[in-house]
Structure formats: structure tokens, C-alpha cells
């Protein structure tokens, strides 16, 4: 099968060459086997590895049917979730159906943001998909209270039952309890799927289907990529190549990997990618810090640092081969000095900008590689998402961390619960309140 994506590695050299990746064959093979056989840490969270069984054909049809029912009954879907229960859906929708009436909530606790969203709903028929695996995460729980009340008030309590769908654990958690008690339609999240690997499950697929994206094609792209990444040779397997290259660079002292794209519609793919790698690898005081830039916009802001700032950066461009061919630069007089480009497709000008940037960054000491997909459609996006997920699992094992847990996420939660007085946190409440209130003398500088 032809690969749905390619990696151009020319500008990784001399830091990383195909020979160096090839010399890592036994390491990458071992990391891949650790992932596939489940012999590594976090092995309970590999339910996403087989995209065909993560969501069966019957489940896919059910998701499409519920999405189409919600579409018929509403003008807007509020998709409530945070982290892995949010970013995948947003990434795919912004890439493929950016005008779709899907509004995201519960990914912050901002009163201003949520007031703005509520105000924008006047006169609209609203449906809600509340997504939380644990069912207890504060941000989506807060947002769900707001939007549940809104829908119940505007549509009536009985109709609201049909307008709210919960995606959550099969048995556990407060959201499951509420859904069962009220009688919402629900989609289960498997115990073996962590949030950041869940975009191709009901977590991502219901809002994505509501937005009119072909979820069968999305899943097919992932299924075909899953066959491709079974290859053991890192020079034939893009996920192994990518995982090896970034670890080789990390071992040489590079500290930051920058996801760079010349297509604004990929902005949230980069956000999703940052969570995937940041949460999977950022532990034991190790790992590349995942960052992103939107080009060409950021060439006029971050471009200076990329070219000449502290040399600690590697860069991964994500490029779409086939652009929009029909938007041509108009002809006209040459007063704006653009006559030499008259009649050219913007796509060709953008491609030249990418080629120029990749070369300049290499010359400036930023080793970079380019992942290219042929077209921006559901199939190739499914392939890209799965490629990064698989590469992340392998990369985490190469690095020596558990790519499927996130123990560090708990630290702020414990403090927040204690400060807010959540039952069960009483012991820490007084201590934390005192520590927040009693900052050392002079720590707030008032600059009179
Ligand atoms: O990837 C993860 O596991 C996290 O980002 C979670 O998805 C996020 O914390 C939300 O959790 P939940 O779905 O339980 O509300």
C-alpha cells in the first residue's frame, strides 16, 4: 500500500542522517514491540492501536445517526470537554469544516468566555455533547451546569433530554451517574483509551460528524496507516523514522520541537499534537518541549528567534501537497512590484515560502523535517493523526517514559480543590489558603 504520508529528511542532516536512523533499527524495533505487545508501562491504554476495533462499524453508524438527529434538532452544538476530550475534535473540525456550527466550551473556566458563548446563543436551537472520560473534571463539569441549564430553560426539561448527549465512562464518574439518572443518550469511552489518544473514538467522532465531516473516511485513513506502521525498518516506517529522528536530536541536546505549518487550518492540529507529545513524554524531567508556529504569520514575529535565537530548536513542518488551485494573484499594473507573480496560484507562492523557510532554518542551525500529506481531507487527516499517535507511543518508549500516564496533571488539581473547599480536601485547605494569603513581605511590587 502506498504511504498516505511522506517525510522529507534532507534538512535533518548532518545532525541526523538516514544511516543514523538505520543504526537505531534494533532500538526502534524494540520500542515498537513494547508498544504492540503491551510489555511496557501504560500497557492498559493501548485501545487506540487498532482503529477498526476502537470504534466498530456498528458504533460508527450509531455515531452518524445521533449526529444527524442532533443536527436536525439544533442550529448549534456546544461541545464541552477539555484536553484530550476536546482538542482532537477541534483540530479536525477547524481543519475540515471550520464554518460548522460547533462551539467549544469547558476548556477554560473563564466567565467572560462562557458569558460570550451564552450570549451568542440567543434565538438558536442548541444541542450539547458533554465529553469527560472521568466524568469529574472541573472545567467541563462547570460548563455543563451552565449549558444544561440554558438548554433546559430554552427548550424545556423534557426536550433537553434529547438534545444532550454524554460521552463518558461506561460505569464510573459523576457524569455517568447524571446521564443515567436523567436518561441522556450516551457513548462510552473505553477504559483502555486515554484522552489524548481518543480523537478517533466517540470522544472526537460525534462532534466531528455533527460538523459534517466524513468520519468513515477519517477512520479509514487511520486503519490504512495502522497497517503501514507494522513495518520494522525505520527507513520504511514513517512513525519509526520520526520517533527515532526526534530522539536522536534530543540526545544531542536539542530541547524544543516546533510544529510549523503554512496552512492556518492546521492551527489546532498543532495544539492537539502539543498535548499528545507534551503529556505523553514530559515526565522524569526529560523530553523535547513541543511548541508550534503558524506560518507565514509567525515568520514576522517568531521568525527572528527561529533563525538566530538560542540554538536548541528542531522543527517539524506539516505540509499539504495539493493546495487550493483556483485562487490566482490578479494581473494589474506593477505599482505594487508584484508583476512577476501575476497569474500565479497563491498555493505556489505559499510553497515557495515553505521551501525558503525550511532552507533558511537549516542554514540557521535548526534541523528540520517535513511530513507531507497529499490533500487536506478526512482520509489523510485520519492518517496524519494516527501516524502521530503511533509515533508518540514509540517515541515515549525510546525515551524511557510511560507514554500513557499523566501524573503531573494532578498537582494543580489538588491545590485547586483544596482552595475551593471540595469535600475530602479539608486537611489541605487551611494550609494552602494561608500559604496563598501570606506571601513574604515585598513579594507584590506595586511600583508606586
Ligand atoms: O489526555 C488526557 O488524559 C487528559 O487531557 C484528559 O483528556 C483531560 O484531563 C480531560 O479529562 P476527562 O475526559 O476525564 O474530563
Amino acid at each position: 500500500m502506498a504511504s498516505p504520508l511522506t517525510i522529507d529528511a534532507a534538512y535533518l542532516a548532518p545532525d541526523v542522517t538516514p544511516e543514523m536512523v538505520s543504526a537505531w533499527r534494533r532500538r526502534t524495533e524494540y520500542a515498537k514491540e513494547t508498544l504492540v505487545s503491551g510489555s511496557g508501562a501504560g500497557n492498559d491504554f493501548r485501545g487506540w492501536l487498532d482503529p477498526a476495533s476502537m470504534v466498530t462499524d456498528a458504533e460508527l453508524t450509531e455515531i452518524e445517526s445521533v449526529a444527524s438527529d442532533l443536527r436536525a434538532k439544533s442550529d448549534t452544538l456546544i461541545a464541552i470537554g477539555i484536553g484530550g476530550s476536546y482538542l482532537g475534535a477541534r483540530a479536525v473540525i477547524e481543519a475540515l469544516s471550520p464554518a460548522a456550527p460547533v462551539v467549544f466550551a469547558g476548556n477554560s473556566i473563564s466567565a467572560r468566555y462562557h458569558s460570550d458563548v451564552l450570549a451568542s446563543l440567543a434565538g438558536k436551537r442548541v444541542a450539547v455533547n458533554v465529553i469527560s472520560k472521568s466524568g469529574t473534571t472541573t472545567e467541563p463539569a462547570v460548563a455543563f451546569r451552565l449549558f444544561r441549564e440554558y438548554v433546559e430553560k430554552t427548550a424545556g426539561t423534557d426536550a433537553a433530554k434529547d438534545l444532550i448527549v454524554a460521552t463518558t465512562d461506561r460505569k464510573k464518574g459523576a457524569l455517568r451517574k447524571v446521564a443515567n439518572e436523567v436518561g441522556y443518550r450516551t457513548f462510552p469511552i473505553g477504559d483502555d483509551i486515554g484522552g489524548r489518544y481518543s480523537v478517533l473514538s466517540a470522544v472526537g467522532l460525534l462532534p466531528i460528524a455533527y460538523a459534517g465531516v466524513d468520519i468513515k473516511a477519517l477512520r479509514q485513513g487511520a486503519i490504512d496507516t495502522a497497517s503501514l506502521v507494522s513495518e520494522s525498518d525505520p527507513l520504511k516506517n514513517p512513525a519509526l523514522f520520526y520517533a527515532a529522528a526526534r530522539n536522536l536530536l534530543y540526545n544531542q541536546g536539542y530541547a524544543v520541537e516546533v510544529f510549523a505549518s503554512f496552512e492556518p487550518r492546521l492551527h489546532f492540529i498543532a495544539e492537539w499534537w502539543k498535548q499528545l507529545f507534551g503529556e505523553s513524554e514530559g515526565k522524569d524531567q526529560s523530553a523535547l518541549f513541543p511548541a508550534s508556529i503558524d506560518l507565514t504569520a509567525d515568520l514576522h514575529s517568531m521568525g527572528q528567534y527561529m533563525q538566530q535565537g538560542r540554538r536548541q530548536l528542531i522543527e517539524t513542518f506539516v505540509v499539504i501537497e495539493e493546495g487550493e488551485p483556483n485562487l490566482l494573484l490578479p494581473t494589474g499594473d506593477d505599482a505594487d512590484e508584484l508583476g512577476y507573480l501575476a497569474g500565479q496560484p497563491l498555493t505556489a507562492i505559499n510553497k515557495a515560502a515553505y521551501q525558503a523557510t525550511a532552507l533558511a532554518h537549516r542554514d540557521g542551525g535548526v534541523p528540520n523535517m517535513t511530513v507531507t500529506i497529499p490533500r487536506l481531507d478526512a482520509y489523510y487527516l485520519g492518517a496524519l493523526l494516527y501516524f502521530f499517535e503511533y509515533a508518540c507511543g514509540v517515541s515515549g518508549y525510546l525515551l524511557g517514559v510511560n507514554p500513557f500516564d499523566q501524573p503531573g496533571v494532578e498537582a494543580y488539581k489538588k491545590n485547586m480543590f483544596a482552595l475551593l473547599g471540595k469535600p475530602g480536601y479539608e486537611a489541605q485547605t487551611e494550609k494552602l489558603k494561608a500559604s496563598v494569603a501570606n506571601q513574604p513581605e515585598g513579594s507584590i511590587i506595586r511600583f508606586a
Side-chain angles (χ1 to χ4, degrees):
M1 179 198 313
S3 169
L5 51 86
T6 59
I7 297 182
D8 182 342
Y11 295 155
L12 287 176
D15 302 76
V16 169
T17 60
E19 293 70 36
M20 289 158 82
V21 171
S22 203
W24 264 35
R25 180 175 173 143
R26 285 183 59 190
R27 285 191 205 206
T28 51
E29 208 168 339
Y30 183 72
K32 179 170 95 64
E33 274 318 299
T34 305
L35 177 66
V36 173
S37 67
S39 57
N43 55 5
D44 289 347
F45 289 92
R46 297 170 308 114
W48 55 275
L49 262 181
D50 177 7
S53 68
M54 175 161 62
V55 175
T56 62
D57 287 346
E59 284 162 340
L60 210 63
T61 304
E62 171 71 3
I63 291 169
E64 280 178 330
S65 140
V66 171
S68 114
D69 179 62
L70 290 179
R71 265 205 312 271
K73 291 178 175 148
S74 68
D75 307 309
T76 298
L77 177 74
I78 309 292
I80 298 175
I82 196 164
S85 291
Y86 150 66
L87 281 164
R90 184 150 196 187
V92 174
I93 292 170
E94 300 270 345
L96 298 179
S97 187
V102 178
V103 177
F104 294 92
N107 53 76
S108 76
I109 319 177
S110 162
R112 183 161 292 124
Y113 177 80
H114 288 91
S115 303
D116 288 348
V117 174
L118 284 163
S120 74
L121 298 178
K124 290 186 180 145
R125 298 173 306 151
V126 174
V128 170
N129 180 202
V130 52
I131 309 158
S132 176
K133 182 178 177 189
S134 63
T136 54
T137 307
T138 307
E139 293 89 334
V142 166
F144 184 47
R145 273 217 183 194
L146 295 172
F147 290 98
R148 177 183 173 185
E149 182 186 71
Y150 182 89
V151 175
E152 286 178 349
K153 273 193 183 149
T154 51
T157 313
D158 269 351
K161 283 184 204 165
D162 260 356
L163 292 167
I164 295 173
V165 177
T167 307
T168 190
D169 188 90
R170 248 171 249 283
K171 296 191 189 124
K172 302 185 296 288
L175 181 57
R176 167 55 64 186
K177 201 162 154 240
V178 173
N180 288 350
E181 273 171 20
V182 182
Y184 298 137
R185 283 177 283 185
T186 62
F187 285 101
I189 308 175
D191 286 340
D192 54 355
I193 301 166
R196 58 192 177 274
Y197 294 86
S198 70
V199 52
L200 299 168
S201 75
V203 168
L205 293 181
L206 181 59
I208 291 170
Y210 183 96
V213 173
D214 180 349
I215 57 172
K216 288 202 169 99
L218 192 73
R219 187 183 68 152
Q220 194 57 48
I223 291 172
D224 290 350
T225 307
S227 322
L228 184 78
V229 295
S230 59
E231 171 62 54
S232 292
D233 181 351
L235 296 184
K236 293 188 180 148
N237 180 334
L240 297 193
F241 186 94
Y242 177 63
R246 60 197 305 285
N247 275 278
L248 278 158
L249 291 161
Y250 176 71
N251 290 350
Q252 290 171 26
Y254 288 98
V256 179
E257 180 178 5
V258 181
F259 180 115
S261 161
F262 284 76
E263 173 48 67
R265 282 203 191 185
L266 297 189
H267 174 82
F268 274 94
I269 297 287
E271 297 302 311
W272 171 86
W273 172 90
K274 285 193 280 193
Q275 186 204 356
L276 180 66
F277 280 89
E279 216 167 65
S280 297
E281 294 194 321
K283 43 200 79 154
D284 301 344
Q285 328 238 310
S286 71
L288 288 162
F289 179 82
S292 65
I293 50 176
D294 290 307
L295 305 176
T296 58
D298 289 342
L299 290 176
H300 301 264
S301 56
M302 299 303 291
Q304 174 58 38
Y305 192 106
M306 292 298 298
Q307 195 65 40
Q308 294 182 327
R310 182 171 173 167
R311 299 298 72 186
Q312 57 182 338
L313 310 172
I314 69 166
E315 193 171 21
T316 298
F317 292 97
V318 174
V319 163
I320 300 151
E321 179 73 43
E322 188 182 290
E324 163 57 66
N326 296 324
L327 189 61
L328 308 181
L329 194 72
T331 49
D333 67 39
D334 200 19
D336 60 4
E337 299 174 14
L338 279 182
Y340 74 106
L341 292 175
Q344 294 255 8
L346 259 66
T347 298
I349 304 172
N350 203 28
K351 185 171 181 183
Y354 147 65
Q355 288 169 330
T357 306
L359 177 59
H361 287 181
R362 173 63 277 182
D363 288 346
V366 180
N368 61 75
M369 59 188 143
T370 299
V371 177
T372 301
I373 54 170
R375 270 189 305 286
L376 186 55
D377 65 14
Y379 177 83
Y380 288 113
L381 207 54
L384 184 71
L385 295 172
Y386 188 85
F387 156 74
F388 276 130
E389 287 179 351
Y390 195 95
C392 186
V394 172
S395 181
Y397 285 134
L398 279 176
L399 185 65
V401 299
N402 174 354
F404 301 114
D405 66 356
Q406 54 282 329
V409 176
E410 294 308 308
Y412 97 91
K413 286 190 195 167
K414 283 183 195 142
N415 287 351
M416 181 177 75
F417 290 151
L419 287 172
L420 289 171
K422 185 171 179 171
Y425 289 79
E426 294 82 358
Q428 299 98 308
T429 299
E430 286 321 309
K431 201 170 144 224
L432 275 178
K433 280 193 171 164
S435 138
V436 170
N438 301 323
Q439 297 297 340
E441 187 89 16
S443 61
I444 297 179
I445 306 167
R446 300 209 183 272
F447 305 104

